[in-house]
């Protein structure tokens, strides 16, 4: 019988999430995981299973946090357009203490081509984000803050592709004018210009 855990696995998972976000799955070693959690190998395996299981748990945590932030921004915006604009601008500026870019984008590039189960998880998460975008776009069309005649699903998918590009550009710490120019064009598209 395994010994009971004398720590909260969820509290350690946040540090693990940031580590995988910074380094990626393959570049993160078991020693890195021990260092960031302060746990022994056996405690890591007992609490989380193997490295891949720990990665998936951290990745799910990241997605849940990001989805909640997106939903909060969209729900609290004065109108559909301003809600989307607020979200897009937030993406450009990394929060203090967090890595640049997006863990989802980083890991989609690293793991997606080689791991079908992970690819399925990514696609499910993209679908959830797309649905939030559709609701914001529909709201914007209803309140007339979004005047594009393009189908809402197509606009949501356009936004999905744009934000992935922004995430990759942010990860490389490229000239911010490139990202801001892309955002400017995106806002014009939403306005139907």
């Amino acid at each position: 019988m395994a010994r009971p855990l004398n720590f909260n696995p969820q509290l350690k998972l946040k540090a693990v999430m940031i580590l995988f976000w910074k380094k990626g799955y393959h570049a993160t070693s078991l020693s890195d995981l021990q260092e960031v959690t302060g746990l022994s190998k056996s405690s890591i395996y007992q609490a989380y299973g193997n490295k891949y299981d720990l990665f998936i748990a951290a990745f799910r945590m990241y997605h849940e946090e990001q989805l909640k932030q997106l939903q909060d921004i969209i729900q609290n915006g004065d109108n559909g357009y301003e809600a989307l604009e607020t979200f897009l601008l937030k993406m450009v500026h990394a929060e203090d203490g967090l890595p640049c870019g997006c863990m989802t984008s980083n890991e989609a590039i690293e793991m997606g081509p080689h791991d079908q189960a992970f690819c399925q998880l990514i696609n499910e998460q993209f679908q959830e984000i797309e649905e939030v975008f559709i609701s914001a776009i529909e709201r914007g069309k209803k309140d007339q803050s979004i005047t594009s005649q393009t189908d809402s699903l197509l606009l949501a998918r356009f936004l999905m592709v744009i934000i992935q590009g922004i995430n990759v550009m942010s990860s490389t710490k490229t000239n911010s004018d490139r990202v801001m120019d892309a955002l400017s064009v995106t806002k014009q598209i939403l306005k139907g210009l």
Side-chain angles (χ1 to χ4, degrees):
M1 184 163 103
R3 293 184 323 190
L5 299 176
N6 60 358
F7 62 91
N8 182 335
Q10 280 302 108
L11 294 177
K12 303 284 187 183
L13 195 55
K14 179 77 172 191
V16 168
M17 178 193 79
I18 293 171
L19 176 65
F20 279 126
W21 186 357
K22 283 180 184 174
K23 294 187 80 171
Y25 176 76
H26 293 295
T28 299
S29 68
L30 188 53
S31 296
D32 293 331
L33 293 168
Q34 288 177 271
E35 184 178 324
V36 79
T37 62
L39 299 174
S40 67
K41 288 180 189 177
S42 61
S43 292
I44 290 172
Y45 287 124
Q46 181 185 1
Y48 305 105
N50 60 34
K51 176 184 167 183
Y52 185 81
D53 293 339
L54 178 53
F55 167 73
I56 293 298
F59 187 77
R60 287 184 188 278
M61 173 185 265
Y62 174 84
H63 174 69
E64 289 167 11
E65 288 180 3
Q66 296 302 309
L67 184 62
K68 174 138 181 31
Q69 282 184 11
L70 170 61
Q71 290 167 332
D72 290 347
I73 290 169
I74 297 302
Q75 290 170 358
N76 293 322
D78 290 338
N79 59 54
Y81 175 83
E82 286 183 11
L84 286 169
E85 180 182 42
T86 299
F87 171 73
L88 292 168
L89 290 173
K90 181 190 175 305
M91 287 184 45
V92 175
H93 307 289
E95 294 179 39
D96 288 339
L98 294 178
C100 292
C102 169
M103 184 178 183
T104 302
S105 298
N106 297 347
E107 295 310 320
I109 293 166
E110 179 182 10
M111 304 285 286
H114 315 289
D115 185 331
Q116 282 304 113
F118 185 73
C119 204
Q120 178 64 33
L121 176 61
I122 289 272
N123 282 311
E124 290 168 7
Q125 292 180 354
F126 284 164
Q127 180 65 40
E128 290 178 310
I129 295 167
E130 191 175 280
E131 289 170 9
V132 175
F133 285 159
I134 290 170
S135 69
I137 292 164
E138 289 294 322
R139 179 177 150 207
K141 287 181 173 184
K142 186 175 182 179
D143 66 31
Q144 298 182 343
S145 62
I146 294 176
T147 55
S148 173
Q149 298 301 308
T150 303
D151 179 78
S152 298
L153 173 62
L154 296 179
L155 282 174
R157 289 182 173 170
F158 170 77
L159 288 175
M160 285 296 300
V161 172
I162 289 296
I163 66 168
Q164 295 314 311
I166 290 170
N167 288 330
V168 171
M169 298 295 275
S170 296
S171 293
T172 63
K173 298 179 178 134
T174 188
N175 179 333
S176 64
D177 289 344
R178 286 186 180 106
V179 173
M180 295 309 291
D181 289 347
L183 285 182
S184 177
V185 172
T186 300
K187 293 190 292 185
Q188 290 175 17
I189 289 169
L190 290 172
K191 288 289 192 180
L193 303 176

